[in-house]
């Protein structure tokens, strides 16, 4: 069974710092990995989707990488801002017949002004 | 586009009551799913549908029913509410599940359910 882990569970950084969020998964047979953002009391918003054949994806100040063989992904946030404060979740889509997303528990990020 | 909409936003039930959580999307997505989110446990899949008339169970289906009569709507029914079903429920949709960019999941704002 696929398991997705995100460490740390919470992270606090000063504004302007570059930071990396980690996601690891146990089964490398995946179609893609997705990163989401969740603000308190809100739904999830998709940030980036990396297909299994890709190594990274970029959107603005966000860069996500994927190392399928080692079962790891990172989300790099450049020049963090207080508005980046949220919970970040990763999810993997397995490539077997049961293609349901498996989510990590998330990393709660606080960017201090 | 309204995206994925869910109603109600909040609901309080007594043990044993039944209710239906509504979910609709206007993006013509084939794939829809229901998750529950509990503290420290991430999102867990309840039921999903790959198209109108086709549904299947996810990781935690007990106590819930779904149907998919149209592409747009995917209601979740709680048959006899229990305190263990107190949670935040999210509906999501995507164009496909084959791994490409159309696989991007869109989520609704959630329904916060309390069962007393």
């Amino acid at each position: 069974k696929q398991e997705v882990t995100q460490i740390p569970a919470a992270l606090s950084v000063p504004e302007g710092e570059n930071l990396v969020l980690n996601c690891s998964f146990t089964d490398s047979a995946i179609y893609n990995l997705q990163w989401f953002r969740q603000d308190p009391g809100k739904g999830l918003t998709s940030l980036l989707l990396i297909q299994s054949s890709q190594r990274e994806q970029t959107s603005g100040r966000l860069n996500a990488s994927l190392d399928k063989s080692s079962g790891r992904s990172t989300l790099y946030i450049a020049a963090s801002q207080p508005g980046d404060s949220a919970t970040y979740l990763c999810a993997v889509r397995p490539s077997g017949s049961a293609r349901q997303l498996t989510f990590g528990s998330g990393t709660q990020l606080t960017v201090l002004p | 586009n309204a995206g994925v909409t869910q109603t109600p936003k909040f609901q309080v039930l007594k043990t044993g009551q039944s209710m239906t959580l509504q979910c609709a999307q206007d993006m013509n997505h084939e794939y829809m799913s229901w998750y529950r989110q509990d503290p420290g446990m991430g999102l867990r899949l309840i039921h999903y549908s790959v198209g109108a008339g086709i549904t299947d169970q996810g990781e935690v289906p007990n106590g819930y029913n779904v149907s998919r009569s149209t592409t747009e709507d995917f209601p979740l029914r709680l048959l006899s509410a229990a305190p263990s079903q107190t949670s935040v429920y999210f509906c999501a949709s995507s164009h496909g599940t084959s791994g490409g960019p159309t696989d991007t999941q869109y989520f609704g704002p959630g329904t916060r359910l309390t069962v007393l």
Side-chain angles (χ1 to χ4, degrees):
Chain A
K1 179 186 174 185
Q2 177 76 266
E3 293 184 2
V4 180
T5 304
Q6 293 185 250
I7 297 173
L11 180 65
S12 184
V13 300
E15 182 177 3
E17 191 164 298
N18 302 326
L19 61 99
V20 174
L21 305 180
N22 297 298
C23 172
S24 61
F25 48 96
T26 55
D27 188 344
S28 62
I30 63 170
Y31 270 133
N32 62 50
L33 184 143
Q34 302 183 42
W35 281 95
F36 296 89
R37 169 186 172 137
Q38 185 176 28
D39 293 289
K42 305 291 186 182
L44 280 71
T45 300
S46 178
L47 296 174
L48 289 164
L49 181 152
I50 311 177
Q51 299 177 56
S52 61
S53 58
Q54 297 175 323
R55 295 285 292 181
E56 64 179 38
Q57 279 283 351
T58 298
S59 176
R61 294 183 293 109
L62 305 180
N63 177 278
S65 69
L66 175 64
D67 184 342
K68 215 172 63 160
S69 60
S70 67
R72 293 181 181 177
S73 176
T74 62
L75 179 66
Y76 174 83
I77 302 177
S80 59
Q81 304 169 358
D84 294 329
S85 298
T87 297
Y88 292 81
L89 297 97
C90 66
V92 297
R93 174 84 72 190
S95 56
S97 58
R99 299 180 184 177
Q100 312 318 315
L101 284 176
T102 300
F103 283 83
S105 297
T107 295
Q108 184 176 358
L109 173 66
T110 302
V111 181
L112 303 170
Chain B
N1 286 348
V4 181
T5 58
Q6 291 184 239
T7 57
K9 284 187 169 52
F10 301 93
Q11 183 70 49
V12 178
L13 292 177
K14 294 181 180 178
T15 297
Q17 289 184 316
S18 62
M19 77 160 295
T20 299
L21 279 62
Q22 301 291 343
C23 173
Q25 52 88 14
D26 61 359
M27 297 173 282
N28 200 32
H29 284 170
E30 289 296 320
Y31 184 86
M32 296 185 73
S33 51
W34 277 102
Y35 296 89
R36 58 179 289 172
Q37 186 176 38
D38 302 291
M41 300 191 71
L43 276 82
R44 293 182 291 169
L45 183 66
I46 304 172
H47 286 284
Y48 66 98
S49 169
V50 298
I54 306 170
T55 64
D56 207 345
Q57 296 181 351
E59 182 184 355
V60 288
N62 292 341
Y64 308 94
N65 272 356
V66 292
S67 60
R68 184 98 178 268
S69 56
T70 67
T71 299
E72 295 78 18
D73 300 301
F74 191 42
L76 178 71
R77 297 184 191 85
L78 278 70
L79 309 173
S80 177
S84 61
Q85 293 179 304
T86 294
S87 188
V88 181
Y89 291 85
F90 289 102
C91 180
S93 73
S94 66
H95 188 70
T97 60
S98 59
T102 59
D103 197 358
T104 298
Q105 290 266 305
Y106 295 85
F107 280 80
T111 294
R112 284 145 188 81
L113 176 67
T114 301
V115 182
L116 303 175

